[in-house]
């Protein structure tokens, strides 16, 4: 038997099972967060402006909560509860573990983020919000995703509770500062109440920077994990 | 063929060093890896598992270099450590299903048999299990994979005598397959003595002694001598400890032989008693001897009785 060939052939199946395990563990909380997000959209559709702020906060909190819960449950708790020796005794490397965790988290939270984000656009069809808000709304949604990736990267690389909490607080505050900061741009203020979505250079630049930051952060996680010589 | 071979393995930490560890576990044998807390047992086992990378030295497990070959090696290794926990909010069945999907050689029949023998309920959540049941559940998850090598890091710590007996019996049952090997760390020498055929002592990051169990038990003796006032011990190898009280001397020896007994008699000592040592006594004597500075560690030389500890 060629051992190295076996390893190469069979590792993806173990990674797949690790991903499925995390998805099973996070199934019920994820459904709850998703339903809360859908509920916030329904709230906005039914009561319009009157419930707008509450619906917006609930919506962002549902996505953010799903992200925090997933990262804490599948990464930090796994270490704190001493499940890691069990997982790392399986035929995987640190790189496989990293791949499995990143895939599980991004699938789970990315799925919630994507479906809720897509669903949130019905408020523009229902004329609850002017279509000029679509670019700003998109940037805010991507900012939430970026904040989650910051939390995920921190929990993944540092594994401890303290760094995770620091990342959660920083990402949350940073997100609010970002919304305030982006709303102050003339290019945003001048288009946000329009009847049509205008994707000007400001929106596209910010969006590009956000997506770039997400890609760099994910890459940094894999780099940092590959440098580790000790994993328990 | 060796199941495990470590050669000059070194790992440095700010407050602890694992120093030039050499360790060989022949295929089909059980090695008890014994050392006090903080001796380096867990670090060594984690290096063997590829979970910690050594700074220097070579580790080969089931023919695979570690840590590079850890994926290929770990398909055939079952690892259970004292600090390893299954998912508390999940049932035992959840873990069995998870592992069944991973290991092609997973034996459902054997898993069911073990569930019954260990008196475990697959529908019970792990958080509701006693410590003994948790250890049994963890062992079940590795036994049913039918691995060639089992690496246990203090699996019997904190278990009641009945649970310990059940687990040790199961380990011995596992060894009925001749190509299986077990590396078993513990500071409980009774457990080690019961199932091991090789024993390695580790202390302060260094291997103190390593041999097969029978050689250990056969070669260590405690001798009670009665001597005169100006008596000097002859040169002898394997002298571990000397205690003097008046005209009585107690010697602890590794490498005892009839010739040594004759040598002592010829030197003027009257031998009152020759006592075999238990593994625990051998372990304690080995560790204490390794902690002494080189000039005081008497192995290989005979210290003068005038300065010997009373």
């Amino acid at each position: 038997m060629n051992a190295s060939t076996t390893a190469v052939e069979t590792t993806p199946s173990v990674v797949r099972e690790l991903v499925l395990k995390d998805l099973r563990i996070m199934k019920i909380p994820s459904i709850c967060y998703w339903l809360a997000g859908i509920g916030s959209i329904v709230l906005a559709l039914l009561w319009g402006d009157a419930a707008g702020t509450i619906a917006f906060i609930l919506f962002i909190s549902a996505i953010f909560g799903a992200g925090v819960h997933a990262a804490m449950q599948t990464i930090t708790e796994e270490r704190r509860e001493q499940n890691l020796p069990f997982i790392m005794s399986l035929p995987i490397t640190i790189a496989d573990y990293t791949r499995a965790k990143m895939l599980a988290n991004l699938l789970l939270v990315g799925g919630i983020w994507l479906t809720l984000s897509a669903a949130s656009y019905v408020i523009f069809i229902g004329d609850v919000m002017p279509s000029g808000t679509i670019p700003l709304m998109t940037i805010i949604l991507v900012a939430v995703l970026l904040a989650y990736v910051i939390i995920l990267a921190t929990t993944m690389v540092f594994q401890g509770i303290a760094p995770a909490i620091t990342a959660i607080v920083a990402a949350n505050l940073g997100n609010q500062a970002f919304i305030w900061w982006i709303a102050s741009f003339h290019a945003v203020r001048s288009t946000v109440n329009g009847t049509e979505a205008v994707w000007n250079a400001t929106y596209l630049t910010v969006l590009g920077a956000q997506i770039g930051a997400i890609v760099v952060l994910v890459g940094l996680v894999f780099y940092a994990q590959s440098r580790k010589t000790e994993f328990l | 063929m060796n199941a495990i071979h470590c050669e000059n393995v070194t790992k440095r930490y700010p407050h602890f060093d694992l120093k030039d560890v050499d360790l060989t576990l022949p295929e089909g044998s059980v090695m008890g890896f014994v050392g006090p807390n903080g001796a380096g047992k867990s670090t060594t086992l984690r290096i063997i598992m590829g979970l910690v990378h050594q700074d220097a030295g070579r580790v080969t497990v089931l023919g695979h270099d570690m840590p590079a070959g850890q994926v290929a090696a770990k398909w055939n290794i079952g690892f259970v450590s004292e600090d390893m926990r299954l998912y508390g909010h999940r049932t035992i069945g959840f873990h069995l299903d998870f592992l069944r999907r991973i290991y092609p050689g997973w034996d459902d029949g054997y898993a069911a048999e073990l569930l019954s023998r260990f008196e475990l309920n697959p529908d019970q959540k792990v958080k509701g299990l006693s410590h003994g049941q948790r250890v049994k559940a963890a062992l079940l998850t590795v036994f049913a994979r039918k691995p060639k090598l089992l690496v246990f890091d203090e699996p019997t710590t904190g278990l009641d005598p009945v649970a310990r007996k059940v687990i040790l019996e199961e380990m011995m049952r596992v060894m009925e397959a001749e190509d299986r090997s077990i590396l078993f760390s513990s500071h409980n020498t009774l457990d080690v003595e019961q199932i091991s055929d090789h024993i390695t002592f580790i202390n302060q990051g260094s291997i103190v002694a390593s041999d097969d169990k029978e050689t250990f038990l056969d070669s260590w003796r405690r001798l009670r001598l009665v001597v005169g006032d100006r008596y000097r011990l002859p040169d002898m190898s394997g002298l571990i400890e000397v205690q003097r009280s008046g005209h009585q001397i107690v010697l602890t020896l590794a490498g005892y032989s009839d010739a040594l007994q004759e040598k002592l008699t010829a030197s003027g000592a009257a031998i009152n008693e020759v006592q075999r040592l238990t593994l625990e006594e051998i372990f304690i004597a080995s560790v204490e001897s390794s902690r002494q500075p080189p000039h005081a560690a008497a192995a290989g030389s005979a210290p003068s009785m005038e300065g010997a500890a009373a």
Side-chain angles (χ1 to χ4, degrees), chain A residues 1 3-4 6-8 10-11 13-14 16-18 20-22 24-26 73 78 81-94 96 101 228-232, chain B residues 11 13 46 49-55 64 67-68 70-72 74-77 79 81-90 94-95 97-99 101-103 141-142 145:
Chain A
M1 179 178 76
S4 59
T6 306
V8 169
T10 49
T11 298
S13 70
V14 185
R16 187 187 66 223
E17 291 306 326
L18 289 172
L20 291 174
K21 168 190 67 69
D22 281 345
R24 275 194 289 273
I25 286 174
M26 280 302 296
Q73 182 73 49
E78 200 164 86
E81 291 287 319
Q82 295 175 285
N83 307 130
L84 214 46
F86 169 65
I87 293 301
M88 291 310 296
S89 72
L90 301 174
I92 55 167
T93 59
I94 296 173
D96 296 327
K101 288 293 167 195
K228 287 184 179 173
T229 58
E230 202 153 323
F231 203 60
L232 289 182
Chain B
K11 179 75 186 174
Y13 291 104
R46 285 172 179 191
M49 285 298 296
L51 304 176
V52 170
H53 298 187
Q54 66 271 29
D55 294 332
H64 303 282
Q70 64 173 294
V71 171
K74 284 197 283 190
W75 280 110
N76 281 306
I77 307 176
F79 175 69
S81 67
E82 191 208 1
D83 63 354
M84 179 175 123
R85 302 279 182 276
L86 301 177
Y87 291 95
H89 293 279
R90 303 287 140 184
F94 170 90
H95 293 86
D97 286 343
F98 170 60
L99 294 167
R101 278 192 284 268
I102 290 175
Y103 289 93
T141 64
V142 301
R145 298 175 204 176

Side-chain angles (χ1 to χ4, degrees), chain A residues 115-195:
Chain A
T115 52
L116 287 182
S117 298
S120 70
Y121 286 96
V122 298
I123 61 172
F124 300 105
I125 300 165
D127 285 339
V128 176
M129 297 276 277
S131 294
T133 318
I134 289 175
L136 178 62
M137 176 81 169
T138 305
I139 280 175
I140 291 171
L141 286 170
V142 177
V144 173
L145 185 66
L146 174 58
Y148 162 67
V149 173
I150 290 169
I151 294 165
L152 175 63
T154 309
T155 49
M156 196 69 221
V157 173
F158 297 102
Q159 305 259 321
I161 291 175
I165 292 171
T166 308
I168 292 163
V169 172
N172 195 12
L173 293 175
N175 227 7
Q176 289 172 43
F178 173 78
I179 294 171
W180 176 82
W181 176 68
I182 202 77
S184 71
F185 279 48
H186 174 72
V188 172
R189 278 186 285 121
S190 61
T191 57
V192 78
N193 290 317
T195 52

Side-chain angles (χ1 to χ4, degrees), chain B residues 102-142:
Chain B
I102 290 175
Y103 289 93
W106 179 265
D107 188 336
D108 264 329
Y110 186 35
E113 190 186 319
L114 285 174
L115 278 169
S116 156
R117 203 179 299 152
F118 287 167
E119 297 174 335
L120 295 171
N121 176 358
D123 298 326
Q124 192 171 353
K125 284 189 177 172
V126 171
K127 69 175 179 181
L129 300 177
S130 68
H131 175 62
Q133 287 174 315
R134 284 179 198 200
V135 174
K136 285 175 183 173
L139 288 171
L140 193 163
T141 64
V142 301

Side-chain angles (χ1 to χ4, degrees), chain B residues 34-271:
Chain B
V34 187
N37 292 328
K41 300 190 293 295
S42 295
T43 304
T44 306
L45 297 193
R46 285 172 179 191
I47 288 172
I48 286 168
M49 285 298 296
L51 304 176
V52 170
H53 298 187
Q54 66 271 29
D55 294 332
R58 189 173 178 209
V59 179
T60 312
V61 180
L62 300 172
H64 303 282
D65 279 335
M66 303 295 265
Q70 64 173 294
V71 171
K74 284 197 283 190
W75 280 110
N76 281 306
I77 307 176
F79 175 69
V80 172
S81 67
E82 191 208 1
D83 63 354
M84 179 175 123
R85 302 279 182 276
L86 301 177
Y87 291 95
H89 293 279
R90 303 287 140 184
T91 63
I92 295 172
F94 170 90
H95 293 86
L96 302 186
D97 286 343
F98 170 60
L99 294 167
R100 182 186 298 117
R101 278 192 284 268
I102 290 175
Y103 289 93
W106 179 265
D107 188 336
D108 264 329
Y110 186 35
E113 190 186 319
L114 285 174
L115 278 169
S116 156
R117 203 179 299 152
F118 287 167
E119 297 174 335
L120 295 171
N121 176 358
D123 298 326
Q124 192 171 353
K125 284 189 177 172
V126 171
K127 69 175 179 181
L129 300 177
S130 68
H131 175 62
Q133 287 174 315
R134 284 179 198 200
V135 174
K136 285 175 183 173
L139 288 171
L140 193 163
T141 64
V142 301
F143 286 153
R145 298 175 204 176
K146 301 267 177 144
K148 283 186 180 164
L149 171 66
L150 291 155
V151 178
F152 295 139
D153 189 5
E154 307 206 15
T156 53
T157 301
L159 291 181
D160 64 74
V162 178
R164 247 186 28 233
K165 182 172 174 288
V166 171
I167 283 163
L168 291 174
E169 278 174 0
E170 200 52 50
M171 282 188 196
M172 286 189 268
R173 207 188 301 262
V174 162
M175 286 307 292
E176 284 167 12
E178 280 179 7
D179 61 342
R180 293 239 174 93
S181 318
I182 300 181
L183 177 60
F184 169 47
S185 94
S186 181
H187 42 235
N188 187 328
T189 48
L190 280 176
D191 291 350
V192 170
E193 195 166 353
Q194 203 174 329
I195 68 160
S196 306
D197 34 45
H198 285 71
I199 291 163
T200 297
F201 293 138
I202 184 168
N203 186 45
Q204 294 175 337
S206 298
I207 300 291
V208 175
S210 186
D211 219 325
D212 64 84
K213 183 173 73 182
E214 297 313 320
T215 305
F216 263 122
L217 294 173
D218 286 345
S219 64
W220 283 69
R221 290 288 190 282
R222 183 167 290 136
L223 273 65
R224 293 180 192 283
L225 316 178
V226 177
V227 297
D229 284 336
R230 304 294 300 163
Y231 177 77
R232 280 185 73 88
L233 274 174
D235 281 341
M236 59 180 97
S237 63
L239 184 57
I240 300 296
E241 192 183 32
V242 182
Q243 290 176 294
R244 180 168 193 165
S245 176
H247 288 102
Q248 294 217 346
I249 296 175
V250 179
L251 302 180
T252 304
L253 290 160
Y256 170 80
S257 65
D258 290 341
L260 195 72
Q261 197 170 334
E262 284 165 18
K263 194 173 184 179
L264 283 167
T265 310
S267 71
I271 300 173

